[in-house]
Amino acid sequence: MALEERPRSCLLRFRHKLEEDIKPSYLMDHMISDGVMTVDEEEKIRSQPTRKEQAVALLELLLRKDNRAYISFYNALVKETYDDLANLLHDDLPYVLPDAHKSSSDVQAMLSEGGVPQRPVVFVSRPELVNRVREKLYRLQKDPGWVTVFGMAGSGKSILAAEAVRHQGLIEECFPGGIHWLSIGQLDKPDLLVKIQSLCFRLEQSLDSQSLHRPPNSLDEAKERLRFLMLRRYPRALLILDDIWDSTVLKTFDIHCRILLTTRNRSLTDSVSGAKYEVEVESGLDENKALEILALYTDTKLHGLPEEARSIVRECKGSPLVVSLIGALLKEKPNRWRYYLSQLQQKQFKRIRKSSSYDYDALDQAMAASIEVLPEDHQELYKDFTVLEQDIKVPAKVLSVLWDLEPEEVEDILEEFVNKSLLFVDSHNKPYLYYLHDLQLDFLVEQNRTQLESLHTKVVHQYQQHYRDGPPISGDEECLYWIRFLTYHMAKANLCQELYSLMFSLDWVSIKSKIMGPAHLINDYVEYGPILDKENSEVRSQFQEFLSLNGHQLEQRPFPDVVQLALSQPHTSEVYRQALLQAQDRASRGKLYFDWLNKNSVESLSRLVIHPHQGSIYSACFSHDGTKIASCGASRTLKVFKSTSGEKLTEIQAHDDEVLCCAFSPDDRLLATCSSDRKVKVNSCKPSFPEALFEASSANEWKTISVRDVFAEGDEEVLVKCSTWTADGKRIICAARNAALVFDVETSGMLLEIRTNRLSMVQFCHACPTSNLLAIAYSNYAVELWDLEANKKMADCSGHLSWVQRVQFSPDGSQLLSCSDDQTVRLWETTKVHTSSAVCLKRDSDVLFNDEEIIVSAADNCNRLQVSRRENEGERLNEKSSRIRCTCMCRQASAVVLGQEDGTVQVLEVPSGKLLATLPGHTKTVLHCKFSQNGQTLITSSEDTTIRVWRWQSGECQVLQGHKEQVRCFSLLSSSPADTRLLSWSFDGTVKMWDTESGEKLQDIRAHRGAILSCHVSPDGCLFATTSADMTAKLWHSESWECVHAFKGHQDCVRSCRFSWDSRRLATGDDNGEIRLWNVKDGSLLKICSREGKDGMDSLHGGWVTDLHFSPDDSLLVSTGGYIKWWDVEKGEALQTFYPTGTALKRIHVSSDFSTFVTIDSIGILYILQRVA
């Protein structure tokens, strides 16, 4: 076929410009690839002596070719960046149908696999728009970028996008990696995560089976997974995002790949990086195209359409959606042209939203006409769609419950609605999902506004009837709908009592958080708070607080036991009450649960924990109205959250390097950030707002306060990290080194100095704008609140697990936020400030279990020895001058021993604190101490490589020397008073046996190549085990000292070991969190525990496995690491997990009946856990 007249005229018109500029050799390669030029023709052109003569010859050949050659030449100009010349040819591009004979089946298969929708049954071509989209897509051949197809709803954007990629040449040249379609709509964070999880699974499924990973657990992780797949595995693939509404959603896909998106918002891509191109889709079809749709629906020739057809198109204003609705009606009733025209002309519906950018008149009229032709019973069923939220797709099973009909009957009814264009179906999902266009839904809501409450009531009652035995938990599409939207329907139906019963139920919390994650639940308590508070605001607050502080645990996989988590709530909480009842019921059937007995002694101000960033958080701040929080850090991003629930509102890729600080403007519209990239940026809280950069100008100096003079010692430079004004403006406070210094502004004199120990630095301080409180952030993970008037510490805010970088009070002073290198932002309730904070204990401790009495001995953060009895505070003995490193209580007498950093050993009377003995001798830190069974002998070990055996009442001492490195621990070979043998082990890799009476070394072996980390003697005394940093464990005979077995297989340092009480099994734990159970007799591996999988960078156990204990019957095993786990020994399966507030548990003390467990975490919180009976 010859070249059409318009493109021919265009070539002739711009021939001179083309001949002057083009390089034919570059362009001909593309044209040969497209199959519109032969090699012989190329050779003939190349034989011309000059470039211009080659260009003349190429254009002469082009004028003799067809439309395909013109398009190929145009595309070649685009690819070779002759953009100005391509623009000259653009307006006269001809439309060419794809070559149906050239591997069209392969193209269709690729599109189907990628989820690209098929052409609708009634389809009219829009060649100019299709070519414009393809032209933009060709610009993505070499580099990533964005092509935006924008226009109003119902204008055919999705069909246009799908048609544009049905082109073999486009796919082969630009997107050989495939086309991948993703329908987005108005999604919240959890649903967007599900979409990306599905896409990643689809992409990975196309690769080898080894490429499959667990689904990403967060949007940040999903984004990185998708980035990896698109850049590494599918570098030349096209991702199509259909119906994008929100720029924050779009930024999730800002991963440097090729993207085509359809949207109603032209400015969406302002928030992302990369090359951007756009194509506008007109709101209506031209008259001929609209008539063609009606002709196809009614199977009529275009010239045979009645005059009413043109009138209908004019009344509909050419909207593709409305024309299709009328066409579907006429397909079944082809004689009703005049009737449907009169319906459109006479029905005067109100505009749904007068300020809307849509032309609602046409849609209202078409909708009314479409619904009226349904049977009356089907009209009633269609009315039920009014209760749906916008852009929500539902499976037929949900409607089967709502309508109380068999699923097959429901599917037939839905098919009728789809055929009449009253409903849309997403056939890419199995089962199919059905949804309304948002304009159709708005129309229904307006039509049925007076019946909304009764319609929602119907939904709730049908659900209750169908699921009378309990909510669905299958996790399929039907289950997801009910779990997500049941509370919404109850609230809309004003069914307050039903809403109370549901949301004040721990069962509901467990089910919804497992299926949907905690974010939806927290938002439910915030959104429906006014309704719930009418019943009991305190209970609502208790459930919301439980979720806010444990949300990060509820996102873990495997999913934690919600009842066990809830047992850590205060005894007065409704959450705890329900948890205890459930725990008691399940415990009667053999399930393990543990109640935290002394939790009332731990007073926490923490209200909300947010995990906004990957990496350290350097700054966080309140908005001036207190409703929002902004945070920034090592991730280079700026994020804004709701201060009530932690829901993310905005995310901005703020800088090219770490973002060090952020602050709201006084009106909260703008956010300023500064970065290591040496830039200060001002951004709108809406990411589409253009950023501005500023340079600081000079200012007049009024007064200088020399902080260096306060630190007299040394010549080191003093760095002042921050300063803050008090509320009255009369004092200024600054942070430097390990102190917060308060100065009088007028006199420059220092009024107050708040110092911490030398091992901790003050990172930041902030004065409350409404009171005398001062918040101080420390490098030792602590936040302290001080009263400046009383010069008194008011509270310790414990909870962070790494350096605290910044603190800030809310404008009204009721809340305090802190951010840390542990990747969290925490909110604290300063209105709950208390004068005696929870005791912060060191992890080196000793415990006595005497019947019902539990006595705990441990040093506190003020270097005082604490001896407490169960839930009572107990005795606090005098502060020591040297740091306490270990402690042990005498089982016979009322005495406690403590070993100190300077090598001193002291024995004190309990409870008086009277000094009974001071035992000098060690020259370095005392690491371990232990009384003998009769309490007369005391054994200590030290960093000075020695062990000392004391007759502590007389001061006699036997020194055991021989180790070359520190002796961290030792163990008596048996509990018999007659057996005086002692085992010791050291970082020098040796194990030695001593006679404690004579001081004689009985045995000495080099057991491991690396440091020995633990040792345990079997209960029968025949064997002992050692574990080492060389990743092995060994079993030794106590008499012959021969190595019985060497256990290999651990992939990290073996940190702990323990024999079962029958001496037949040995448990070993390593620094990767793995626990192995071994057969002592033959050395075989019985079980490997902790195989559930890692969370992020966490180990399998949340940290090193530091301690192990078997139950008396050897059926259970308890282990400590980042948290406490109980195991079924036979199966190697975890039975229960307790998550402490801190981490890095060092040791656990276990009662003889395996019912009570005592440990201390990294932030000094004491846990006394008792098994629920």
Side-chain angles (χ1 to χ4, degrees):
M1 188 178 76
L3 185 61
E4 289 179 6
E5 187 58 37
R6 283 178 57 199
R8 172 183 290 276
S9 299
C10 182
L11 280 177
L12 292 173
R13 191 163 63 252
F14 300 115
R15 182 172 186 168
H16 179 70
K17 289 184 178 180
L18 292 166
E19 290 172 351
E20 289 294 322
D21 291 341
I22 63 172
K23 292 184 179 179
S25 58
Y26 293 167
L27 304 175
M28 289 189 294
D29 289 339
H30 298 290
M31 297 176 72
I32 290 173
S33 297
D34 287 348
V36 299
M37 176 183 285
T38 66
V39 176
D40 290 340
E41 289 171 332
E42 182 196 26
E43 288 299 323
K44 187 174 180 180
I45 292 172
R46 284 184 183 273
S47 66
Q48 300 300 318
T50 66
R51 181 207 58 79
K52 185 170 182 179
E53 287 175 319
Q54 289 177 2
V56 171
L58 176 58
L59 291 170
E60 286 287 349
L61 176 66
L62 200 55
L63 288 166
R64 299 194 298 272
K65 294 279 187 179
D66 59 9
N67 291 343
R68 293 180 182 277
Y70 182 95
I71 293 173
S72 177
F73 177 71
Y74 169 82
N75 290 332
L77 291 173
V78 172
K79 295 169 194 173
E80 294 299 331
T81 67
Y82 291 104
D83 292 346
D84 52 343
L85 297 178
N87 288 335
L88 298 176
L89 305 186
H90 172 266
D91 290 341
D92 295 304
L93 277 170
Y95 177 70
V96 179
L97 288 172
D99 187 349
H101 301 290
K102 190 175 181 182
S103 303
S104 60
S105 60
D106 295 339
V107 172
Q108 187 56 47
M110 175 185 284
L111 296 176
S112 297
E113 289 172 3
V116 178
Q118 296 182 353
R119 279 181 182 169
V121 175
V122 173
F123 172 77
V124 295
S125 64
R126 302 165 80 177
E128 184 177 354
L129 276 175
V130 169
N131 280 338
R132 282 165 56 193
V133 176
R134 285 180 183 160
E135 176 227 323
K136 305 300 183 187
L137 289 173
Y138 268 113
R139 300 192 183 194
L140 304 184
Q141 181 180 16
K142 292 183 177 179
D143 298 303
W146 307 78
V147 174
T148 303
V149 178
F150 66 93
M152 67 168 285
S155 59
K157 301 182 296 293
S158 301
I159 293 174
L160 180 63
E163 190 63 21
V165 296
R166 285 192 187 91
H167 188 278
Q168 182 169 345
L170 177 70
I171 293 174
E172 289 177 350
E173 292 179 40
C174 300
F175 314 113
I179 312 287
H180 304 283
W181 185 285
L182 205 60
S183 298
I184 304 296
Q186 288 181 303
L187 296 179
D188 55 17
K189 184 176 178 180
D191 288 335
L192 178 60
L193 176 59
V194 171
K195 288 275 188 183
I196 304 179
Q197 284 175 337
S198 175
L199 176 61
C200 290
F201 179 81
R202 188 200 309 168
L203 295 173
E204 290 173 339
Q205 208 172 30
S206 301
L207 305 170
D208 58 279
S209 59
Q210 294 180 350
S211 299
L212 292 173
H213 297 83
R214 67 167 176 80
N217 288 330
S218 67
L219 269 182
D220 286 338
E221 186 182 347
K223 181 176 179 179
E224 290 307 311
R225 178 81 58 82
L226 186 58
R227 184 198 306 274
F228 172 83
L229 288 168
M230 295 302 289
L231 294 184
R232 299 293 181 85
R233 301 299 182 91
Y234 297 88
R236 296 190 65 197
L238 178 67
L239 182 58
I240 302 178
L241 306 177
D242 185 38
D243 196 22
I244 291 281
W245 286 68
D246 190 354
S247 61
T248 58
V249 171
L250 189 63
K251 286 204 285 188
T252 305
F253 298 93
D254 191 2
I255 54 176
H256 203 65
C257 69
R258 295 159 173 82
I259 291 180
L260 168 64
L261 64 107
T262 67
T263 181
R264 305 174 193 182
N265 186 347
R266 183 176 189 171
S267 64
L268 274 185
T269 53
D270 292 348
S271 63
V272 295
S273 58
K276 298 161 190 172
Y277 312 96
E278 57 186 34
V279 176
E280 182 175 5
V281 181
E282 297 82 3
S283 60
L285 299 168
D286 63 55
E287 187 175 273
N288 287 335
K289 292 295 181 184
L291 291 173
E292 187 178 349
I293 290 177
L294 293 174
L296 290 169
Y297 266 112
T298 57
D299 196 20
T300 307
K301 298 291 184 182
L302 198 60
H303 59 80
L305 288 171
E307 185 57 35
E308 288 86 352
R310 295 184 186 277
S311 300
I312 287 173
V313 169
R314 285 194 292 270
E315 287 291 332
C316 294
K317 300 177 179 66
S319 167
L321 180 61
V322 179
V323 171
S324 297
L325 286 168
I326 298 294
L329 293 169
L330 289 167
K331 183 177 182 180
E332 293 190 0
K333 306 289 184 181
N335 297 322
R336 291 192 173 181
W337 289 95
R338 185 174 296 277
Y339 169 75
Y340 291 130
L341 175 60
S342 65
Q343 290 293 303
L344 291 174
Q345 291 173 336
Q346 295 173 18
K347 296 280 186 179
Q348 297 298 317
F349 297 103
K350 293 186 297 181
R351 296 176 74 90
I352 297 175
R353 286 196 297 265
K354 292 183 183 294
S355 62
S356 170
S357 60
Y358 306 131
D359 193 339
Y360 276 83
D361 286 336
L363 182 63
D364 290 353
Q365 295 158 3
M367 282 294 302
S370 300
I371 295 172
E372 285 175 4
V373 299
L374 292 173
E376 285 189 11
D377 57 337
H378 285 192
Q379 288 186 37
E380 287 300 310
L381 295 179
Y382 190 74
K383 185 191 297 183
D384 288 331
F385 285 108
T386 307
V387 300
L388 296 182
E389 283 210 274
Q390 284 196 350
D391 296 305
I392 297 303
K393 301 177 181 180
V394 295
K397 280 188 177 180
V398 169
L399 298 168
S400 176
V401 172
L402 178 57
W403 294 338
D404 196 19
L405 297 173
E406 293 296 325
E408 293 80 6
E409 188 176 353
V410 170
E411 289 171 359
D412 292 340
I413 294 171
L414 295 175
E415 184 178 0
E416 178 190 3
F417 291 162
V418 171
N419 290 340
K420 286 184 166 58
S421 299
L422 288 169
L423 193 67
F424 295 88
V425 59
D426 182 352
S427 58
H428 294 298
N429 284 279
K430 301 295 181 184
Y432 290 168
L433 299 178
Y434 299 88
Y435 61 99
L436 291 174
H437 191 283
D438 58 348
L439 299 183
Q440 294 169 322
L441 181 58
D442 285 344
F443 171 79
L444 283 176
V445 170
E446 182 63 27
Q447 289 292 101
N448 304 302
R449 188 168 298 281
T450 59
Q451 303 175 54
L452 283 176
E453 189 171 304
S454 62
L455 289 171
H456 283 282
T457 300
K458 175 183 175 182
V459 176
V460 175
H461 288 167
Q462 288 298 108
Y463 165 86
Q464 292 172 334
Q465 178 70 21
H466 191 80
Y467 292 106
R468 60 174 70 91
D469 296 328
I473 56 174
S474 60
D476 60 12
E477 293 288 349
E478 179 198 10
C479 166
L480 289 174
Y481 181 85
W482 290 119
I483 297 301
R484 181 178 174 189
F485 291 107
L486 182 57
T487 50
Y488 162 76
H489 291 303
M490 286 180 173
K492 290 292 185 182
N494 201 25
L495 298 173
C496 299
Q497 199 57 52
E498 285 86 346
L499 190 64
Y500 303 150
S501 300
L502 188 72
M503 295 191 66
F504 292 164
S505 162
L506 195 59
D507 288 331
W508 177 253
V509 167
S510 179
I511 291 170
K512 185 158 186 173
S513 58
K514 184 174 184 178
I515 293 174
M516 304 295 300
H520 278 291
L521 266 169
I522 295 174
N523 282 328
D524 281 352
Y525 285 102
V526 173
E527 183 174 353
Y528 307 127
I531 302 174
L532 298 173
D533 287 350
K534 293 176 183 177
E535 173 73 7
N536 194 321
S537 60
E538 188 174 347
V539 172
R540 192 268 308 159
S541 176
Q542 290 166 355
F543 273 92
Q544 186 174 330
E545 181 175 339
F546 168 63
L547 288 165
S548 297
L549 299 182
N550 291 278
H552 57 298
Q553 307 286 10
L554 295 171
E555 289 176 347
Q556 291 193 35
R557 294 296 179 269
F559 187 72
D561 190 320
V562 172
V563 172
Q564 180 60 65
L565 284 177
L567 285 173
S568 295
Q569 295 302 291
H571 286 113
T572 56
S573 168
E574 173 65 16
V575 179
Y576 171 80
R577 189 192 68 80
Q578 291 186 27
L580 184 60
L581 289 174
Q582 292 193 29
Q584 291 170 338
D585 177 61
R586 297 179 191 181
S588 67
R589 291 178 268 127
K591 179 78 174 172
L592 288 180
Y593 283 100
F594 300 90
D595 195 3
W596 183 7
L597 298 181
N598 65 315
K599 60 193 166 198
N600 288 346
S601 67
V602 180
E603 298 178 76
S604 173
L605 311 179
S606 186
R607 186 181 68 80
L608 181 66
V609 182
I610 309 171
H611 292 251
H613 301 271
Q614 294 294 319
S616 300
I617 303 173
Y618 298 144
S619 180
C621 62
F622 282 104
S623 61
H624 291 82
D625 62 8
T627 62
K628 297 185 285 291
I629 297 169
S631 66
C632 60
S635 66
R636 308 178 185 179
T637 58
L638 172 69
K639 295 188 179 182
V640 182
F641 298 85
K642 287 183 180 178
S643 62
T644 52
S645 66
E647 179 188 351
K648 188 175 76 173
L649 301 174
T650 304
E651 179 178 357
I652 300 171
Q653 191 67 37
H655 288 270
D656 298 326
D657 208 336
E658 296 178 328
V659 187
L660 303 178
C661 186
C662 58
F664 283 93
S665 61
D667 60 5
D668 290 331
R669 291 191 307 108
L670 303 175
L671 267 166
T673 56
C674 64
S675 165
S676 299
D677 63 10
R678 302 185 180 183
K679 294 178 182 176
V680 174
K681 293 187 179 182
V682 177
N683 290 280
S684 168
C685 292
K686 298 179 180 179
S688 59
F689 190 90
E691 63 185 30
L693 275 68
F694 293 89
E695 294 182 3
S697 59
S698 61
N700 294 323
E701 180 181 317
W702 174 57
K703 186 167 290 190
T704 300
I705 299 175
S706 176
V707 177
R708 189 184 184 286
D709 296 342
V710 178
F711 300 91
E713 70 277 7
D715 298 324
E716 295 181 19
E717 184 179 354
V718 176
L719 176 66
V720 179
K721 294 187 176 180
C722 72
S723 60
T724 178
W725 291 86
T726 56
D728 58 11
K730 297 179 180 180
R731 291 162 292 177
I732 191 167
I733 308 155
C734 66
R737 289 189 180 174
N738 63 334
L741 309 171
V742 184
F743 293 94
D744 183 282
V745 174
E746 286 296 327
T747 66
S748 299
M750 188 171 73
L751 303 175
L752 178 63
E753 178 182 9
I754 301 172
R755 288 217 183 204
T756 183
N757 60 66
R758 290 180 176 273
L759 299 176
S760 178
M761 305 298 289
V762 175
Q763 296 294 101
F764 201 83
C765 61
H766 188 241
C768 180
T770 60
S771 70
N772 290 315
L773 284 178
L774 174 70
I776 307 175
Y778 293 99
S779 62
N780 67 350
Y781 316 169
V783 175
E784 294 180 355
L785 290 179
W786 285 73
D787 186 319
L788 294 175
E789 290 299 318
N791 187 16
K792 179 182 179 182
K793 184 169 75 170
M794 302 300 294
D796 288 299
C797 303
S798 57
H800 282 297
L801 305 178
S802 190
W803 286 26
V804 183
Q805 296 289 2
R806 190 169 293 253
V807 286
Q808 189 193 47
F809 286 97
S810 61
D812 63 1
S814 65
Q815 297 181 73
L816 173 74
L817 65 77
S818 58
C819 62
S820 165
D821 286 353
D822 66 6
Q823 305 181 19
T824 68
V825 175
R826 287 178 179 261
L827 264 70
W828 315 85
E829 294 277 11
T830 56
T831 53
K832 298 179 182 177
V833 166
H834 45 87
T835 54
S836 61
S837 298
V839 175
C840 181
L841 301 176
K842 302 299 181 184
R843 288 172 294 168
D844 296 292
S845 59
D846 192 26
V847 176
L848 281 180
F849 297 97
N850 291 331
D851 298 325
E852 292 297 313
E853 189 176 45
I854 303 167
I855 306 173
V856 181
S857 169
D860 66 14
N861 53 335
C862 296
N863 207 39
R864 297 169 299 194
L865 191 66
Q866 300 269 352
V867 181
S868 55
R869 286 171 170 78
R870 194 157 171 168
E871 299 182 44
N872 299 324
E873 187 170 317
E875 294 77 35
R876 185 175 295 171
L877 307 186
N878 291 336
E879 184 175 342
K880 301 300 172 183
S881 58
S882 178
R883 183 183 173 198
I884 301 172
R885 289 297 301 271
C886 60
T887 180
C888 179
M889 287 182 287
C890 181
R891 268 64 179 164
Q892 303 301 324
S894 298
V896 61
V897 62
L898 55 91
Q900 295 176 255
E901 206 162 64
D902 63 1
T904 303
V905 177
Q906 292 186 337
V907 182
L908 306 175
E909 185 181 63
V910 177
S912 68
K914 176 183 176 183
L915 181 64
L916 299 178
T918 298
L919 307 173
H922 285 298
T923 58
K924 292 185 179 180
T925 301
V926 182
L927 298 174
H928 188 54
C929 55
K930 190 172 182 66
F931 282 103
S932 61
Q933 283 290 102
N934 60 17
Q936 301 301 309
T937 302
L938 172 67
I939 308 170
T940 58
S941 66
S942 167
E943 282 185 358
D944 65 11
T945 74
T946 68
I947 303 165
R948 291 178 176 261
V949 183
W950 310 84
R951 299 282 185 261
W952 63 271
Q953 290 165 321
S954 65
E956 296 175 31
C957 179
Q958 184 77 253
V959 182
L960 310 181
Q961 291 181 307
H963 283 293
K964 295 179 180 178
E965 292 191 42
Q966 58 181 260
V967 184
R968 298 192 71 85
C969 204
F970 53 80
S971 176
L972 291 167
L973 204 61
S974 75
S975 58
S976 170
D979 193 342
T980 59
R981 293 176 298 168
L982 177 83
L983 274 181
S984 64
W985 55 95
S986 167
F987 278 14
D988 61 13
T990 66
V991 180
K992 304 182 193 300
M993 182 185 286
W994 313 84
D995 186 315
T996 57
E997 289 292 335
S998 64
E1000 180 186 357
K1001 187 194 305 180
L1002 303 177
Q1003 292 285 356
D1004 186 355
I1005 59 169
R1006 182 168 181 79
H1008 292 270
R1009 292 193 305 272
I1012 297 178
L1013 302 177
S1014 71
C1015 181
H1016 188 236
V1017 181
S1018 63
D1020 61 11
C1022 298
L1023 302 166
F1024 66 89
T1026 57
T1027 69
S1028 170
D1030 64 11
M1031 298 190 290
T1032 66
K1034 293 183 179 180
L1035 199 61
W1036 307 85
H1037 201 284
S1038 299
E1039 296 298 331
S1040 66
W1041 279 63
E1042 293 179 354
C1043 182
V1044 181
H1045 297 298
F1047 302 119
K1048 299 180 179 179
H1050 284 286
Q1051 303 299 309
D1052 213 327
C1053 299
V1054 188
R1055 180 73 48 182
S1056 55
C1057 64
R1058 181 73 61 167
F1059 281 97
S1060 59
W1061 290 100
D1062 62 9
S1063 301
R1064 295 168 58 186
R1065 296 184 182 90
L1066 178 71
T1068 56
D1070 67 24
D1071 286 0
N1072 192 41
E1074 186 176 88
I1075 298 170
R1076 291 179 174 239
L1077 297 172
W1078 309 89
N1079 187 316
V1080 169
K1081 184 176 181 180
D1082 60 16
S1084 62
L1085 177 65
L1086 298 174
K1087 291 289 179 185
I1088 300 178
C1089 306
S1090 289
R1091 276 283 174 92
E1092 294 100 337
K1094 297 187 179 183
D1095 288 324
M1097 299 300 292
D1098 203 358
S1099 82
L1100 295 161
H1101 205 298
W1104 301 346
V1105 180
T1106 53
D1107 203 2
L1108 299 157
H1109 289 270
F1110 282 90
S1111 62
D1113 62 0
D1114 293 328
S1115 64
L1116 302 175
L1117 176 73
V1118 64
S1119 60
T1120 56
Y1123 25 82
I1124 309 170
K1125 295 182 83 73
W1126 287 264
W1127 305 89
D1128 183 309
V1129 172
E1130 286 297 325
K1131 298 178 181 178
E1133 296 175 354
L1135 299 175
Q1136 192 54 270
T1137 302
F1138 180 85
Y1139 296 95
T1141 305
T1143 183
L1145 303 172
K1146 197 171 183 179
R1147 186 181 178 191
I1148 190 165
H1149 304 272
V1150 183
S1151 64
S1152 59
D1153 61 357
F1154 209 69
S1155 66
T1156 308
F1157 306 82
V1158 181
T1159 190
I1160 299 170
D1161 68 14
S1162 60
I1163 57 176
I1165 297 177
L1166 172 68
Y1167 301 90
I1168 301 177
L1169 307 178
Q1170 189 167 72
R1171 183 171 175 177
V1172 176

